[in-house]
């Protein structure tokens, strides 16, 4: 659990990182190349780009925020991977104004679909950035996790509103424009022509457990992390996860 290549805030990212790292390792073996070309859409300050670059891969981060890209530049310099990470300003809708179509072995689309006007179009764009054999790492907000969190906080009307709302929003003050079920995300991935390789629930318990318990109880953090990793693979927990992670593969990549 002390792998230095893990992104920070391991409770929030460990499950995704394990799946992503395994997918990249498989692409390395399949291609015979030590270094892959990875696109991180909405990659911000490099929470995943930096550890991916530490694995030796070349990463292009596309993000609409100049401040995030400035933070990315500083972070990559501090991590010693500035030569392997390139940041460009842009978004999914105009993706091919800033990157090459069909130029990447892997694409990360984390926390992006919630904010695009047309999720299906967004997925088609990021998939079009893949080479004929490649993988997509898709992470988006889960509906069930938000409903559960509002209910446990005593906001029962908001929880019910989220269930009834087409976008999974609990009210006007909801900071997340759109949430998804695992079934909706897998349908989007398959609709873009990919095969679903794996589905994981992310942050099933982490957002519900009091922080003071994790911080003060000896061994609690590692135990909670192991629980998250075990529950993540079980379909029964996908419906209550804060986020849903879907690994999509081109048909050729799935046959490696």
């Amino acid at each position: 659990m002390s792998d230095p290549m893990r992104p920070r805030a391991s409770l929030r990212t460990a499950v995704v990182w394990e799946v992503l790292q395994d997918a990249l390792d498989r692409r390395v073996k399949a291609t015979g190349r030590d270094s892959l070309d990875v696109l991180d859409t909405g990659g911000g300050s490099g929470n995943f780009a930096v550890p991916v670059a530490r694995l030796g891969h070349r990463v292009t981060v596309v993000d609409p925020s100049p401040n995030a890209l400035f933070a990315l530049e500083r972070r990559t310099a501090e991590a010693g991977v500035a030569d392997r990470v390139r940041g460009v300003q842009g978004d999914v809708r105009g993706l091919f104004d800033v990157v090459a179509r069909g130029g990447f072995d892997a694409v990360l689309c984390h926390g992006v679909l919630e904010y695009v006007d047309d999720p299906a179009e967004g997925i088609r764009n990021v998939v079009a950035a893949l080479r004929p054999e490649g993988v997509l790492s898709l992470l988006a907000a889960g509906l069930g996790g938000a409903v559960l969190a509002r209910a446990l906080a005593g906001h029962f009307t908001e929880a019910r509103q989220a269930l009834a709302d087409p976008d999974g929003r609990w009210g006007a003050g909801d900071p997340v424009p759109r949430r998804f079920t695992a079934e909706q995300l897998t349908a989007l991935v398959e609709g873009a022509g990919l095969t679903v390789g794996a589905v994981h629930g992310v942050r099933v318990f982490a957002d519900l457990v009091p922080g003071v318990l994790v911080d003060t109880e000896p061994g609690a953090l590692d135990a909670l992390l192991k629980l998250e990793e075990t529950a993540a693979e079980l379909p029964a927990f996908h419906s209550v996860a804060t986020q849903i992670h879907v690994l999509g593969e081109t048909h050729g990549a799935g046959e490696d």
Side-chain angles (χ1 to χ4, degrees):
M1 295 302 171
S2 61
D3 185 347
M5 291 185 183
R6 285 182 186 273
R8 297 179 65 181
S10 60
L11 273 176
R12 294 175 176 270
T13 59
V15 170
V16 179
W17 178 244
E18 291 290 342
V19 176
L20 176 60
Q21 187 172 8
D22 178 69
L24 294 176
D25 288 346
R26 286 188 283 113
R27 295 309 309 145
V28 165
K29 293 177 182 177
T31 62
R33 292 185 279 113
D34 292 334
S35 182
L36 302 176
D37 294 304
V38 179
L39 174 64
D40 188 357
T41 61
S45 61
N47 286 341
F48 280 88
V50 168
V52 168
R54 283 178 176 155
L55 294 177
H57 305 306
R58 297 176 294 272
V59 186
T60 299
V61 176
V62 176
D63 197 281
S65 168
N67 290 337
L69 293 174
F70 178 77
L72 172 70
E73 184 177 358
R74 184 175 65 248
R75 188 171 184 177
T76 57
E78 292 172 351
V81 294
D83 60 327
R84 293 196 292 275
V85 179
R86 179 175 72 102
V88 293
Q89 188 172 358
D91 56 28
V92 167
R93 187 173 184 181
L95 188 60
F96 301 114
D97 293 335
V98 294
V99 301
R101 186 181 298 268
F104 299 91
D105 300 290
V107 175
L108 281 59
C109 184
H110 296 172
V112 172
L113 281 196
E114 296 93 326
Y115 300 94
V116 300
D117 293 333
D118 185 344
E121 179 188 31
I123 285 292
R124 288 194 297 269
N125 273 2
V126 297
V127 168
L130 286 172
R131 288 176 173 149
E133 295 186 357
V135 294
L136 166 69
S137 175
L138 173 64
L139 182 67
L143 170 62
V147 173
L148 185 61
R150 300 316 289 173
L152 290 178
H155 302 300
F156 307 122
T157 300
E158 291 180 350
R160 185 170 177 270
Q161 170 64 22
L163 280 174
D165 187 80
D167 293 323
R169 290 171 54 81
W170 47 254
D174 192 338
V176 179
R178 185 182 291 107
R179 294 184 178 88
F180 302 87
T181 64
E183 291 76 15
Q184 287 172 329
L185 289 179
T186 56
L188 285 169
V189 170
E190 290 173 342
L194 298 186
T195 299
V196 174
V199 180
H200 289 82
V202 180
R203 292 157 56 190
V204 175
F205 306 104
D207 292 350
L208 304 177
V209 175
V212 64
L213 175 63
V214 177
D215 294 337
T216 60
E217 186 71 21
L221 179 61
D222 284 344
L224 180 55
L225 186 53
K226 290 175 182 177
L227 176 61
E228 286 280 353
E229 291 175 338
T230 301
E233 298 183 2
L234 302 177
F237 289 98
H238 295 169
S239 60
V240 294
T242 298
Q243 293 176 303
I244 305 294
H245 183 250
V246 178
L247 186 73
E249 302 175 323
T250 63
H251 296 296
E255 298 169 358
D256 295 333

